Short mmCIF file of all heavy atoms in Angstrom, two decimals:
data_model
loop_
_atom_site.label_atom_id
_atom_site.label_comp_id
_atom_site.label_asym_id
_atom_site.label_seq_id
_atom_site.Cartn_x
_atom_site.Cartn_y
_atom_site.Cartn_z
N GLN A 411 -64.87 -17.89 24.74
CA GLN A 411 -66.02 -17.39 25.45
C GLN A 411 -66.05 -15.89 25.47
O GLN A 411 -64.93 -15.29 25.69
CB GLN A 411 -66.06 -17.92 26.86
CG GLN A 411 -66.28 -19.41 27.07
CD GLN A 411 -65.06 -20.21 26.86
OE1 GLN A 411 -63.99 -19.80 27.32
NE2 GLN A 411 -65.12 -21.35 26.16
N ALA A 412 -67.18 -15.31 25.23
CA ALA A 412 -67.30 -13.87 25.34
C ALA A 412 -68.13 -13.53 26.63
O ALA A 412 -68.70 -14.45 27.29
CB ALA A 412 -68.09 -13.37 24.12
N PRO A 413 -68.08 -12.28 27.07
CA PRO A 413 -68.84 -11.93 28.27
C PRO A 413 -70.31 -12.29 28.14
O PRO A 413 -70.91 -12.02 27.13
CB PRO A 413 -68.63 -10.41 28.38
CG PRO A 413 -67.35 -10.17 27.64
CD PRO A 413 -67.36 -11.17 26.52
N GLY A 414 -70.89 -12.91 29.14
CA GLY A 414 -72.29 -13.29 29.19
C GLY A 414 -72.88 -12.93 30.53
O GLY A 414 -72.33 -12.12 31.28
N CYS A 415 -73.96 -13.68 30.82
CA CYS A 415 -74.70 -13.39 32.09
C CYS A 415 -73.74 -13.73 33.32
O CYS A 415 -73.85 -13.05 34.30
CB CYS A 415 -75.97 -14.24 32.19
SG CYS A 415 -77.12 -13.80 30.89
N LEU A 416 -72.95 -14.79 33.18
CA LEU A 416 -72.09 -15.20 34.28
C LEU A 416 -70.61 -14.99 34.00
O LEU A 416 -69.81 -15.85 34.17
CB LEU A 416 -72.33 -16.69 34.56
CG LEU A 416 -73.76 -17.00 35.04
CD1 LEU A 416 -73.90 -18.54 35.16
CD2 LEU A 416 -74.08 -16.30 36.36
N ARG A 417 -70.27 -13.85 33.38
CA ARG A 417 -68.90 -13.47 33.06
C ARG A 417 -68.20 -14.54 32.22
O ARG A 417 -67.95 -15.66 32.66
CB ARG A 417 -68.03 -13.26 34.32
CG ARG A 417 -68.43 -12.05 35.14
CD ARG A 417 -67.30 -11.66 36.12
NE ARG A 417 -66.09 -11.26 35.29
CZ ARG A 417 -64.98 -10.99 35.88
NH1 ARG A 417 -64.81 -11.24 37.13
NH2 ARG A 417 -63.96 -10.63 35.15
N TRP A 418 -67.86 -14.21 31.02
CA TRP A 418 -67.14 -15.06 30.07
C TRP A 418 -67.81 -16.44 29.95
O TRP A 418 -67.13 -17.51 29.95
CB TRP A 418 -65.69 -15.25 30.48
CG TRP A 418 -64.98 -13.95 30.68
CD1 TRP A 418 -64.70 -13.38 31.87
CD2 TRP A 418 -64.51 -13.06 29.66
NE1 TRP A 418 -64.01 -12.15 31.67
CE2 TRP A 418 -63.87 -11.97 30.31
CE3 TRP A 418 -64.42 -13.11 28.26
CZ2 TRP A 418 -63.34 -10.83 29.67
CZ3 TRP A 418 -63.91 -12.04 27.59
CH2 TRP A 418 -63.31 -10.94 28.29
N SER A 419 -69.07 -16.44 29.83
CA SER A 419 -69.84 -17.73 29.76
C SER A 419 -70.49 -17.92 28.38
O SER A 419 -71.05 -18.99 28.16
CB SER A 419 -70.92 -17.77 30.83
OG SER A 419 -71.81 -16.70 30.66
N LYS A 420 -70.38 -17.01 27.55
CA LYS A 420 -71.08 -17.08 26.25
C LYS A 420 -70.16 -17.68 25.22
O LYS A 420 -69.08 -17.14 24.92
CB LYS A 420 -71.53 -15.69 25.76
CG LYS A 420 -72.34 -15.66 24.50
CD LYS A 420 -72.77 -14.25 24.12
CE LYS A 420 -73.48 -14.20 22.85
NZ LYS A 420 -73.87 -12.82 22.50
N PRO A 421 -70.48 -18.84 24.64
CA PRO A 421 -69.62 -19.44 23.59
C PRO A 421 -69.48 -18.55 22.40
O PRO A 421 -70.40 -17.89 21.93
CB PRO A 421 -70.35 -20.74 23.21
CG PRO A 421 -71.30 -20.97 24.37
CD PRO A 421 -71.65 -19.67 24.88
N CYS A 422 -68.24 -18.42 21.93
CA CYS A 422 -67.96 -17.57 20.74
C CYS A 422 -66.70 -18.17 20.03
O CYS A 422 -65.60 -17.78 20.26
CB CYS A 422 -67.70 -16.17 21.17
SG CYS A 422 -67.31 -14.99 19.83
N ASP A 423 -67.04 -19.16 19.16
CA ASP A 423 -65.88 -19.78 18.42
C ASP A 423 -65.31 -18.87 17.36
O ASP A 423 -66.06 -18.16 16.66
CB ASP A 423 -66.39 -21.09 17.78
CG ASP A 423 -66.71 -22.09 18.79
OD1 ASP A 423 -66.38 -21.91 20.00
OD2 ASP A 423 -67.25 -23.19 18.44
N LEU A 424 -63.99 -18.92 17.24
CA LEU A 424 -63.31 -18.14 16.23
C LEU A 424 -62.76 -19.09 15.15
O LEU A 424 -62.13 -20.13 15.49
CB LEU A 424 -62.14 -17.35 16.79
CG LEU A 424 -62.47 -16.44 17.96
CD1 LEU A 424 -61.16 -15.71 18.45
CD2 LEU A 424 -63.48 -15.39 17.52
N LEU A 425 -62.99 -18.79 13.86
CA LEU A 425 -62.55 -19.63 12.78
C LEU A 425 -61.27 -18.92 12.19
O LEU A 425 -61.37 -17.79 11.79
CB LEU A 425 -63.65 -19.76 11.73
CG LEU A 425 -63.54 -21.00 10.83
CD1 LEU A 425 -63.66 -22.28 11.63
CD2 LEU A 425 -64.66 -20.95 9.81
N VAL A 426 -60.19 -19.66 12.05
CA VAL A 426 -58.95 -19.13 11.49
C VAL A 426 -58.54 -19.99 10.29
O VAL A 426 -58.53 -21.22 10.37
CB VAL A 426 -57.86 -19.17 12.57
CG1 VAL A 426 -56.53 -18.66 12.02
CG2 VAL A 426 -58.28 -18.47 13.87
N ARG A 427 -58.18 -19.34 9.23
CA ARG A 427 -57.79 -20.03 8.01
C ARG A 427 -56.35 -20.59 8.28
O ARG A 427 -55.46 -19.91 8.60
CB ARG A 427 -57.73 -19.09 6.86
CG ARG A 427 -57.30 -19.76 5.52
CD ARG A 427 -57.58 -18.90 4.37
NE ARG A 427 -56.84 -19.36 3.13
CZ ARG A 427 -55.71 -18.84 2.68
NH1 ARG A 427 -55.20 -17.77 3.24
NH2 ARG A 427 -55.13 -19.37 1.59
N VAL A 428 -56.17 -21.91 8.00
CA VAL A 428 -54.88 -22.54 8.17
C VAL A 428 -54.74 -23.51 7.02
O VAL A 428 -55.36 -24.59 6.96
CB VAL A 428 -54.80 -23.35 9.46
CG1 VAL A 428 -53.41 -24.02 9.58
CG2 VAL A 428 -54.93 -22.43 10.72
N THR A 429 -53.92 -23.14 6.00
CA THR A 429 -53.72 -23.97 4.83
C THR A 429 -52.48 -24.81 5.07
O THR A 429 -51.33 -24.38 4.88
CB THR A 429 -53.57 -23.12 3.61
OG1 THR A 429 -54.67 -22.21 3.53
CG2 THR A 429 -53.56 -23.97 2.37
N CYS A 430 -52.69 -26.05 5.53
CA CYS A 430 -51.60 -26.92 5.85
C CYS A 430 -51.75 -28.24 5.09
O CYS A 430 -52.74 -28.95 5.28
CB CYS A 430 -51.55 -27.25 7.33
SG CYS A 430 -50.25 -28.32 7.86
N ARG A 431 -50.84 -28.62 4.22
CA ARG A 431 -50.84 -29.78 3.45
C ARG A 431 -49.99 -30.93 3.93
O ARG A 431 -49.84 -31.97 3.31
CB ARG A 431 -50.47 -29.51 1.97
CG ARG A 431 -51.21 -28.29 1.35
CD ARG A 431 -52.67 -28.58 1.11
NE ARG A 431 -53.26 -27.41 0.45
CZ ARG A 431 -54.59 -27.33 0.29
NH1 ARG A 431 -55.40 -28.20 0.72
NH2 ARG A 431 -55.06 -26.23 -0.34
N GLN A 432 -49.32 -30.67 5.10
CA GLN A 432 -48.46 -31.73 5.58
C GLN A 432 -49.22 -32.93 6.07
O GLN A 432 -50.39 -32.81 6.40
CB GLN A 432 -47.60 -31.14 6.75
CG GLN A 432 -46.56 -30.18 6.25
CD GLN A 432 -45.58 -29.78 7.39
OE1 GLN A 432 -45.66 -28.75 7.97
NE2 GLN A 432 -44.58 -30.72 7.68
N PRO A 433 -48.59 -34.09 6.12
CA PRO A 433 -49.30 -35.35 6.49
C PRO A 433 -49.93 -35.21 7.88
O PRO A 433 -49.50 -34.48 8.72
CB PRO A 433 -48.16 -36.37 6.52
CG PRO A 433 -47.09 -35.83 5.60
CD PRO A 433 -47.18 -34.32 5.77
N LYS A 434 -51.02 -35.97 8.04
CA LYS A 434 -51.79 -35.94 9.29
C LYS A 434 -50.91 -36.30 10.45
O LYS A 434 -50.07 -37.24 10.41
CB LYS A 434 -52.92 -36.90 9.16
CG LYS A 434 -53.87 -36.89 10.38
CD LYS A 434 -54.99 -37.87 10.28
CE LYS A 434 -55.89 -37.57 9.11
NZ LYS A 434 -57.07 -38.48 9.09
#
Side-chain angles (χ1 to χ4, degrees):
Q411 292 81 40
C415 298
L416 299 175
R417 291 198 65 189
W418 306 102
S419 60
K420 183 180 179 181
C422 180
D423 289 351
L424 303 181
L425 203 62
V426 181
R427 179 171 167 256
V428 178
T429 308
C430 179
R431 310 292 184 190
Q432 286 189 259
K434 184 182 294 186

